[in-house]
Short mmCIF file of all heavy atoms in Angstrom, two decimals:
data_model
loop_
_atom_site.label_atom_id
_atom_site.label_comp_id
_atom_site.label_asym_id
_atom_site.label_seq_id
_atom_site.Cartn_x
_atom_site.Cartn_y
_atom_site.Cartn_z
N MET A 793 10.03 -30.03 16.66
CA MET A 793 10.30 -28.79 17.35
C MET A 793 10.28 -27.57 16.32
O MET A 793 9.71 -26.56 16.66
CB MET A 793 11.57 -28.83 18.10
CG MET A 793 11.82 -27.57 18.97
SD MET A 793 13.01 -27.93 20.23
CE MET A 793 13.31 -26.44 20.82
N PRO A 794 10.96 -27.69 15.21
CA PRO A 794 10.93 -26.56 14.30
C PRO A 794 9.45 -26.25 13.79
O PRO A 794 9.19 -25.02 13.57
CB PRO A 794 11.80 -27.08 13.10
CG PRO A 794 12.73 -28.06 13.62
CD PRO A 794 11.86 -28.73 14.73
N LEU A 795 8.63 -27.25 13.68
CA LEU A 795 7.26 -26.94 13.29
C LEU A 795 6.54 -26.14 14.42
O LEU A 795 5.72 -25.33 14.05
CB LEU A 795 6.47 -28.29 13.00
CG LEU A 795 7.04 -28.99 11.79
CD1 LEU A 795 6.22 -30.30 11.62
CD2 LEU A 795 6.85 -28.18 10.57
N ASP A 796 6.99 -26.39 15.65
CA ASP A 796 6.31 -25.56 16.74
C ASP A 796 6.66 -24.04 16.51
O ASP A 796 5.86 -23.24 16.64
CB ASP A 796 6.79 -25.99 18.15
CG ASP A 796 6.31 -27.47 18.41
OD1 ASP A 796 5.28 -27.88 17.84
OD2 ASP A 796 6.94 -28.05 19.24
N TYR A 797 7.87 -23.81 16.23
CA TYR A 797 8.31 -22.45 15.99
C TYR A 797 7.58 -21.85 14.75
O TYR A 797 7.20 -20.70 14.72
CB TYR A 797 9.79 -22.29 15.79
CG TYR A 797 10.58 -22.46 17.04
CD1 TYR A 797 11.49 -23.48 17.18
CD2 TYR A 797 10.44 -21.57 18.11
CE1 TYR A 797 12.23 -23.62 18.30
CE2 TYR A 797 11.16 -21.78 19.25
CZ TYR A 797 12.09 -22.73 19.34
OH TYR A 797 12.71 -22.88 20.54
N TYR A 798 7.41 -22.64 13.71
CA TYR A 798 6.75 -22.25 12.54
C TYR A 798 5.36 -21.81 12.82
O TYR A 798 4.89 -20.81 12.45
CB TYR A 798 6.91 -23.37 11.45
CG TYR A 798 6.26 -22.95 10.15
CD1 TYR A 798 6.91 -22.07 9.32
CD2 TYR A 798 4.99 -23.51 9.72
CE1 TYR A 798 6.28 -21.68 8.09
CE2 TYR A 798 4.40 -23.18 8.55
CZ TYR A 798 5.08 -22.33 7.73
OH TYR A 798 4.55 -21.99 6.49
N ASP A 799 4.62 -22.67 13.59
CA ASP A 799 3.30 -22.42 13.87
C ASP A 799 3.17 -21.18 14.73
O ASP A 799 2.28 -20.34 14.52
CB ASP A 799 2.63 -23.54 14.70
CG ASP A 799 2.43 -24.73 13.86
OD1 ASP A 799 2.30 -24.64 12.56
OD2 ASP A 799 2.38 -25.92 14.31
N HIS A 800 4.15 -21.07 15.66
CA HIS A 800 4.11 -19.83 16.55
C HIS A 800 4.24 -18.53 15.66
O HIS A 800 3.64 -17.59 15.84
CB HIS A 800 5.20 -19.93 17.51
CG HIS A 800 5.45 -18.71 18.36
ND1 HIS A 800 4.58 -18.25 19.27
CD2 HIS A 800 6.36 -17.78 18.31
CE1 HIS A 800 5.00 -17.16 19.87
NE2 HIS A 800 6.10 -16.81 19.25
N PHE A 801 5.26 -18.53 14.75
CA PHE A 801 5.44 -17.39 13.87
C PHE A 801 4.26 -17.15 12.97
O PHE A 801 3.93 -15.91 12.63
CB PHE A 801 6.70 -17.51 13.12
CG PHE A 801 7.94 -17.34 13.93
CD1 PHE A 801 8.93 -18.32 14.03
CD2 PHE A 801 8.09 -16.20 14.73
CE1 PHE A 801 10.00 -18.18 14.85
CE2 PHE A 801 9.25 -16.03 15.56
CZ PHE A 801 10.15 -16.98 15.59
N LEU A 802 3.63 -18.15 12.52
CA LEU A 802 2.41 -17.96 11.68
C LEU A 802 1.38 -17.24 12.56
O LEU A 802 0.65 -16.31 12.00
CB LEU A 802 1.90 -19.26 11.14
CG LEU A 802 2.64 -19.78 9.95
CD1 LEU A 802 1.94 -21.21 9.55
CD2 LEU A 802 2.60 -18.86 8.79
N LYS A 803 1.20 -17.69 13.75
CA LYS A 803 0.18 -17.01 14.57
C LYS A 803 0.57 -15.55 14.88
O LYS A 803 -0.27 -14.73 14.81
CB LYS A 803 0.00 -17.77 15.89
CG LYS A 803 -0.63 -19.10 15.82
CD LYS A 803 -0.64 -19.81 17.18
CE LYS A 803 -1.28 -21.19 16.90
NZ LYS A 803 -1.09 -22.06 18.07
N GLN A 804 1.82 -15.27 15.15
CA GLN A 804 2.31 -13.94 15.35
C GLN A 804 2.06 -13.07 14.14
O GLN A 804 1.72 -12.00 14.14
CB GLN A 804 3.74 -13.96 15.76
CG GLN A 804 3.93 -14.41 17.15
CD GLN A 804 3.47 -13.43 18.15
OE1 GLN A 804 2.32 -13.20 18.27
NE2 GLN A 804 4.45 -12.85 18.91
N ARG A 805 2.31 -13.61 12.91
CA ARG A 805 2.13 -12.96 11.71
C ARG A 805 0.81 -12.46 11.50
O ARG A 805 0.51 -11.45 10.84
CB ARG A 805 2.62 -13.83 10.53
CG ARG A 805 2.84 -13.13 9.30
CD ARG A 805 4.13 -12.41 9.46
NE ARG A 805 4.60 -11.96 8.17
CZ ARG A 805 5.12 -10.82 7.93
NH1 ARG A 805 5.23 -9.97 8.86
NH2 ARG A 805 5.54 -10.47 6.73
N ASN A 806 -0.21 -13.19 11.94
CA ASN A 806 -1.63 -12.83 11.81
C ASN A 806 -2.06 -11.91 12.91
O ASN A 806 -3.16 -11.41 12.81
CB ASN A 806 -2.47 -14.10 11.82
CG ASN A 806 -2.21 -14.98 10.71
OD1 ASN A 806 -1.88 -14.48 9.62
ND2 ASN A 806 -2.44 -16.29 10.87
N ASN A 807 -1.28 -11.61 13.86
CA ASN A 807 -1.58 -10.76 15.03
C ASN A 807 -1.38 -9.35 14.47
O ASN A 807 -0.38 -8.91 14.07
CB ASN A 807 -0.66 -11.00 16.19
CG ASN A 807 -1.07 -10.18 17.35
OD1 ASN A 807 -1.84 -9.27 17.33
ND2 ASN A 807 -0.50 -10.58 18.54
N LYS A 808 -2.45 -8.59 14.64
CA LYS A 808 -2.39 -7.05 14.13
C LYS A 808 -1.36 -6.29 14.80
O LYS A 808 -0.60 -5.53 14.15
CB LYS A 808 -3.81 -6.46 14.24
CG LYS A 808 -3.84 -5.20 13.61
CD LYS A 808 -5.30 -4.59 13.78
CE LYS A 808 -5.29 -3.22 13.14
NZ LYS A 808 -6.66 -2.60 13.26
N ILE A 809 -1.28 -6.44 16.12
CA ILE A 809 -0.30 -5.57 16.84
C ILE A 809 1.13 -5.95 16.45
O ILE A 809 1.95 -5.02 16.23
CB ILE A 809 -0.50 -5.74 18.36
CG1 ILE A 809 -1.85 -5.27 18.73
CG2 ILE A 809 0.62 -5.12 19.16
CD1 ILE A 809 -2.23 -5.43 20.22
N PHE A 810 1.35 -7.27 16.30
CA PHE A 810 2.70 -7.67 15.84
C PHE A 810 3.06 -7.11 14.54
O PHE A 810 4.28 -6.66 14.37
CB PHE A 810 2.71 -9.20 15.82
CG PHE A 810 4.04 -9.77 15.37
CD1 PHE A 810 5.10 -9.83 16.25
CD2 PHE A 810 4.21 -10.24 14.08
CE1 PHE A 810 6.39 -10.38 15.80
CE2 PHE A 810 5.38 -10.68 13.62
CZ PHE A 810 6.45 -10.85 14.51
N THR A 811 2.22 -7.14 13.56
CA THR A 811 2.54 -6.61 12.23
C THR A 811 2.76 -5.11 12.24
O THR A 811 3.64 -4.63 11.62
CB THR A 811 1.47 -7.06 11.21
OG1 THR A 811 0.19 -6.57 11.64
CG2 THR A 811 1.38 -8.42 10.99
N GLU A 812 1.99 -4.42 13.08
CA GLU A 812 2.11 -2.94 13.15
C GLU A 812 3.50 -2.60 13.79
O GLU A 812 4.16 -1.69 13.31
CB GLU A 812 1.02 -2.39 14.07
CG GLU A 812 -0.34 -2.33 13.34
CD GLU A 812 -1.39 -1.73 14.32
OE1 GLU A 812 -1.04 -1.27 15.34
OE2 GLU A 812 -2.59 -1.85 13.88
N VAL A 813 3.93 -3.38 14.78
CA VAL A 813 5.19 -3.11 15.47
C VAL A 813 6.29 -3.39 14.50
O VAL A 813 7.26 -2.66 14.41
CB VAL A 813 5.32 -3.90 16.75
CG1 VAL A 813 6.77 -3.85 17.27
CG2 VAL A 813 4.30 -3.38 17.72
N THR A 814 6.24 -4.53 13.82
CA THR A 814 7.32 -4.89 12.87
C THR A 814 7.42 -3.85 11.66
O THR A 814 8.51 -3.50 11.23
CB THR A 814 7.17 -6.32 12.30
OG1 THR A 814 5.89 -6.32 11.61
CG2 THR A 814 7.38 -7.36 13.42
N ASN A 815 6.35 -3.28 11.30
CA ASN A 815 6.34 -2.26 10.25
C ASN A 815 7.03 -0.97 10.71
O ASN A 815 7.80 -0.39 10.06
CB ASN A 815 4.93 -1.98 9.75
CG ASN A 815 4.39 -3.13 8.82
OD1 ASN A 815 5.15 -3.90 8.30
ND2 ASN A 815 3.06 -3.18 8.77
N VAL A 816 6.65 -0.58 11.96
CA VAL A 816 7.35 0.62 12.52
C VAL A 816 8.83 0.31 12.68
O VAL A 816 9.65 1.24 12.32
CB VAL A 816 6.72 0.92 13.86
CG1 VAL A 816 7.53 1.96 14.58
CG2 VAL A 816 5.27 1.40 13.67
N VAL A 817 9.23 -0.90 13.12
CA VAL A 817 10.65 -1.14 13.35
C VAL A 817 11.32 -1.05 11.94
O VAL A 817 12.46 -0.51 11.78
CB VAL A 817 10.83 -2.49 13.96
CG1 VAL A 817 12.33 -2.98 13.84
CG2 VAL A 817 10.42 -2.37 15.38
N ARG A 818 10.73 -1.68 10.92
CA ARG A 818 11.35 -1.66 9.59
C ARG A 818 11.47 -0.27 9.08
O ARG A 818 12.44 0.12 8.40
CB ARG A 818 10.53 -2.58 8.68
CG ARG A 818 10.64 -3.98 8.94
CD ARG A 818 9.80 -4.77 7.94
NE ARG A 818 9.89 -6.24 8.25
CZ ARG A 818 9.04 -7.07 7.91
NH1 ARG A 818 7.91 -6.72 7.28
NH2 ARG A 818 9.11 -8.37 8.18
N GLN A 819 10.44 0.57 9.23
CA GLN A 819 10.49 1.91 8.61
C GLN A 819 11.38 2.88 9.37
O GLN A 819 12.00 3.67 8.78
CB GLN A 819 9.00 2.43 8.55
CG GLN A 819 8.15 1.75 7.63
CD GLN A 819 6.72 2.12 7.73
OE1 GLN A 819 6.30 2.93 8.52
NE2 GLN A 819 5.88 1.54 6.88
N LYS A 820 11.27 2.85 10.61
CA LYS A 820 11.96 3.87 11.43
C LYS A 820 13.38 3.38 11.93
O LYS A 820 14.34 4.09 11.62
CB LYS A 820 11.13 4.20 12.73
CG LYS A 820 9.76 4.60 12.45
CD LYS A 820 9.61 6.01 12.52
CE LYS A 820 8.11 6.40 12.28
NZ LYS A 820 7.91 7.71 12.05
N ILE A 821 13.45 2.35 12.64
CA ILE A 821 14.72 1.98 13.23
C ILE A 821 15.67 1.40 12.25
O ILE A 821 16.79 1.85 12.11
CB ILE A 821 14.41 0.98 14.41
CG1 ILE A 821 13.56 1.65 15.50
CG2 ILE A 821 15.79 0.51 15.03
CD1 ILE A 821 13.06 0.80 16.55
N TRP A 822 15.33 0.31 11.54
CA TRP A 822 16.21 -0.33 10.61
C TRP A 822 16.63 0.64 9.52
O TRP A 822 17.86 0.65 9.10
CB TRP A 822 15.47 -1.57 10.03
CG TRP A 822 16.45 -2.34 9.25
CD1 TRP A 822 17.40 -3.30 9.60
CD2 TRP A 822 16.57 -2.26 7.74
NE1 TRP A 822 18.02 -3.68 8.50
CE2 TRP A 822 17.55 -3.10 7.36
CE3 TRP A 822 15.82 -1.51 6.78
CZ2 TRP A 822 17.94 -3.30 6.04
CZ3 TRP A 822 16.29 -1.67 5.47
CH2 TRP A 822 17.29 -2.58 5.13
N ARG A 823 15.69 1.38 8.99
CA ARG A 823 16.01 2.22 7.91
C ARG A 823 16.97 3.36 8.38
O ARG A 823 17.95 3.68 7.52
CB ARG A 823 14.67 2.93 7.35
CG ARG A 823 14.91 3.81 6.09
CD ARG A 823 13.65 4.15 5.60
NE ARG A 823 13.91 5.06 4.47
CZ ARG A 823 13.18 6.04 4.13
NH1 ARG A 823 12.08 6.34 4.88
NH2 ARG A 823 13.40 6.84 3.13
N GLU A 824 16.81 3.90 9.46
CA GLU A 824 17.70 4.91 9.97
C GLU A 824 19.13 4.39 10.19
O GLU A 824 20.10 5.00 9.74
CB GLU A 824 17.24 5.56 11.30
CG GLU A 824 15.99 6.41 11.13
CD GLU A 824 15.45 6.90 12.45
OE1 GLU A 824 16.03 6.57 13.49
OE2 GLU A 824 14.40 7.55 12.35
N THR A 825 19.18 3.21 10.78
CA THR A 825 20.56 2.72 10.96
C THR A 825 21.22 2.37 9.64
O THR A 825 22.43 2.56 9.50
CB THR A 825 20.48 1.44 11.93
OG1 THR A 825 19.57 0.42 11.29
CG2 THR A 825 20.05 1.78 13.27
N PHE A 826 20.45 1.87 8.74
CA PHE A 826 20.99 1.51 7.38
C PHE A 826 21.54 2.86 6.68
O PHE A 826 22.61 2.88 6.11
CB PHE A 826 19.98 0.86 6.53
CG PHE A 826 20.48 0.45 5.12
CD1 PHE A 826 21.32 -0.57 5.06
CD2 PHE A 826 20.22 1.27 4.05
CE1 PHE A 826 21.81 -0.99 3.79
CE2 PHE A 826 20.64 0.92 2.86
CZ PHE A 826 21.48 -0.21 2.64
N ASN A 827 20.74 3.93 6.83
CA ASN A 827 21.18 5.24 6.21
C ASN A 827 22.42 5.79 6.84
O ASN A 827 23.30 6.33 6.26
CB ASN A 827 20.02 6.15 6.22
CG ASN A 827 18.96 5.87 5.24
OD1 ASN A 827 19.13 5.16 4.29
ND2 ASN A 827 17.78 6.40 5.60
N VAL A 828 22.53 5.55 8.16
CA VAL A 828 23.72 6.06 8.84
C VAL A 828 24.95 5.23 8.39
O VAL A 828 25.94 5.81 8.11
CB VAL A 828 23.55 5.94 10.38
CG1 VAL A 828 24.85 6.16 11.07
CG2 VAL A 828 22.50 6.99 10.86
N ILE A 829 24.82 3.95 8.37
CA ILE A 829 25.96 3.13 7.87
C ILE A 829 26.31 3.37 6.51
O ILE A 829 27.42 3.57 6.13
CB ILE A 829 25.52 1.57 8.07
CG1 ILE A 829 25.50 1.25 9.57
CG2 ILE A 829 26.57 0.72 7.36
CD1 ILE A 829 24.90 -0.17 9.82
N GLU A 830 25.33 3.63 5.60
CA GLU A 830 25.58 3.92 4.22
C GLU A 830 26.31 5.23 4.07
O GLU A 830 27.23 5.40 3.31
CB GLU A 830 24.20 3.95 3.49
CG GLU A 830 24.44 4.06 1.93
CD GLU A 830 23.11 4.04 1.26
OE1 GLU A 830 22.20 4.86 1.62
OE2 GLU A 830 22.92 3.13 0.42
N SER A 831 25.89 6.29 4.85
CA SER A 831 26.54 7.52 4.80
C SER A 831 27.96 7.48 5.31
O SER A 831 28.82 8.10 4.73
CB SER A 831 25.76 8.54 5.49
OG SER A 831 25.73 8.33 6.87
N GLN A 832 28.21 6.70 6.25
CA GLN A 832 29.59 6.59 6.87
C GLN A 832 30.52 5.87 5.80
O GLN A 832 31.56 6.23 5.63
CB GLN A 832 29.61 5.72 8.19
CG GLN A 832 29.03 6.46 9.34
CD GLN A 832 28.76 5.65 10.53
OE1 GLN A 832 28.98 4.43 10.49
NE2 GLN A 832 28.53 6.25 11.66
N GLU A 833 29.92 4.82 5.11
CA GLU A 833 30.74 4.23 4.03
C GLU A 833 31.02 5.17 2.95
O GLU A 833 32.16 5.15 2.38
CB GLU A 833 29.94 2.99 3.55
CG GLU A 833 29.87 1.83 4.59
CD GLU A 833 29.04 0.67 4.14
OE1 GLU A 833 28.40 0.79 3.08
OE2 GLU A 833 29.13 -0.38 4.79
N TRP A 834 30.02 5.96 2.59
CA TRP A 834 30.22 6.93 1.59
C TRP A 834 31.33 7.99 1.93
O TRP A 834 32.19 8.35 1.14
CB TRP A 834 28.86 7.65 1.20
CG TRP A 834 29.05 8.60 0.07
CD1 TRP A 834 28.97 9.91 0.20
CD2 TRP A 834 29.37 8.28 -1.29
NE1 TRP A 834 29.16 10.59 -1.04
CE2 TRP A 834 29.42 9.55 -1.90
CE3 TRP A 834 29.55 7.19 -2.01
CZ2 TRP A 834 29.72 9.70 -3.32
CZ3 TRP A 834 29.82 7.27 -3.33
CH2 TRP A 834 29.88 8.47 -3.93
N GLU A 835 31.26 8.38 3.10
CA GLU A 835 32.34 9.35 3.63
C GLU A 835 33.75 8.69 3.48
O GLU A 835 34.68 9.41 3.17
CB GLU A 835 32.05 9.74 5.09
CG GLU A 835 30.95 10.72 5.11
CD GLU A 835 30.56 11.11 6.58
OE1 GLU A 835 31.39 10.78 7.50
OE2 GLU A 835 29.64 11.71 6.82
N ASP A 836 33.82 7.45 3.82
CA ASP A 836 35.08 6.76 3.79
C ASP A 836 35.66 6.71 2.28
O ASP A 836 36.76 6.92 2.00
CB ASP A 836 35.00 5.29 4.33
CG ASP A 836 34.84 5.33 5.88
OD1 ASP A 836 35.15 6.33 6.50
OD2 ASP A 836 34.47 4.21 6.40
N ILE A 837 34.69 6.41 1.43
CA ILE A 837 35.03 6.31 0.03
C ILE A 837 35.46 7.72 -0.62
O ILE A 837 36.48 7.80 -1.14
CB ILE A 837 33.78 5.76 -0.81
CG1 ILE A 837 33.51 4.34 -0.45
CG2 ILE A 837 33.99 5.93 -2.30
CD1 ILE A 837 32.33 3.73 -1.04
N THR A 838 34.70 8.77 -0.20
CA THR A 838 35.11 10.07 -0.70
C THR A 838 36.45 10.49 -0.03
O THR A 838 37.26 11.21 -0.72
CB THR A 838 34.03 11.15 -0.30
OG1 THR A 838 33.82 11.12 1.07
CG2 THR A 838 32.74 10.86 -1.12
N GLU A 839 36.77 10.09 1.14
CA GLU A 839 38.00 10.43 1.76
C GLU A 839 39.16 9.75 1.01
O GLU A 839 40.23 10.32 0.80
CB GLU A 839 38.02 10.01 3.29
CG GLU A 839 39.21 10.46 4.05
CD GLU A 839 39.35 11.95 4.11
OE1 GLU A 839 38.29 12.63 4.13
OE2 GLU A 839 40.44 12.43 4.14
N ARG A 840 38.94 8.54 0.71
CA ARG A 840 40.02 7.82 -0.08
C ARG A 840 40.16 8.43 -1.46
O ARG A 840 41.30 8.51 -1.94
CB ARG A 840 39.66 6.34 -0.31
CG ARG A 840 39.60 5.54 0.94
CD ARG A 840 39.24 4.08 0.72
NE ARG A 840 38.73 3.41 1.79
CZ ARG A 840 37.99 2.36 1.84
NH1 ARG A 840 37.56 1.88 0.75
NH2 ARG A 840 37.52 1.88 2.96
N ILE A 841 39.16 8.85 -2.08
CA ILE A 841 39.28 9.56 -3.30
C ILE A 841 40.03 10.79 -3.16
O ILE A 841 40.94 11.18 -4.05
CB ILE A 841 37.91 9.75 -3.94
CG1 ILE A 841 37.23 8.48 -4.36
CG2 ILE A 841 38.00 10.73 -5.21
CD1 ILE A 841 35.84 8.57 -4.82
N ARG A 842 39.79 11.66 -2.25
CA ARG A 842 40.54 12.82 -1.89
C ARG A 842 42.01 12.60 -1.75
O ARG A 842 42.85 13.41 -2.13
CB ARG A 842 39.88 13.60 -0.75
CG ARG A 842 38.61 14.26 -1.10
CD ARG A 842 38.11 15.04 0.14
NE ARG A 842 36.74 15.33 -0.03
CZ ARG A 842 35.86 15.25 0.84
NH1 ARG A 842 36.15 14.99 2.10
NH2 ARG A 842 34.56 15.61 0.64
N LYS A 843 42.35 11.55 -1.01
CA LYS A 843 43.74 11.25 -0.71
C LYS A 843 44.51 10.90 -1.97
O LYS A 843 45.69 11.21 -2.05
CB LYS A 843 43.82 10.11 0.28
CG LYS A 843 43.51 10.64 1.69
CD LYS A 843 43.63 9.48 2.76
CE LYS A 843 43.32 9.92 4.12
NZ LYS A 843 43.43 8.89 5.13
N ASN A 844 43.82 10.21 -2.90
CA ASN A 844 44.46 9.84 -4.06
C ASN A 844 44.59 10.93 -5.07
O ASN A 844 45.43 11.23 -5.77
CB ASN A 844 43.73 8.67 -4.76
CG ASN A 844 43.93 7.34 -4.01
OD1 ASN A 844 44.98 7.14 -3.32
ND2 ASN A 844 43.04 6.41 -4.17
#
């Protein structure tokens, strides 16, 4: 059964539409959420520094 999934993902990886969509998701959606989380963490750190 795991080999079936592996074959399926290999086929998807070769699909042009699939790779385009995953690239857009990586560049736009994931990157933005990561930057938001990173900025929130940085704000927390600077707030702790100000309090001390």
Side-chain angles (χ1 to χ4, degrees):
M793 185 165 173
L795 291 179
D796 294 337
Y797 287 122
Y798 181 74
D799 289 337
H800 173 72
F801 287 124
L802 281 181
K803 289 178 188 172
Q804 286 289 67
R805 196 74 165 136
N806 294 331
N807 185 347
K808 185 178 178 180
I809 296 173
F810 177 79
T811 54
E812 288 177 9
V813 169
T814 55
N815 287 338
V816 168
V817 167
R818 287 179 183 156
Q819 291 172 358
K820 306 258 182 192
I821 298 172
W822 184 82
R823 185 171 177 215
E824 288 176 5
T825 56
F826 181 76
N827 287 338
V828 167
I829 290 171
E830 187 178 58
S831 66
Q832 288 173 349
E833 290 176 353
W834 180 249
E835 287 178 8
D836 290 343
I837 291 171
T838 56
E839 187 65 30
R840 288 184 205 155
I841 292 172
R842 287 185 193 137
K843 287 182 180 180
N844 286 335

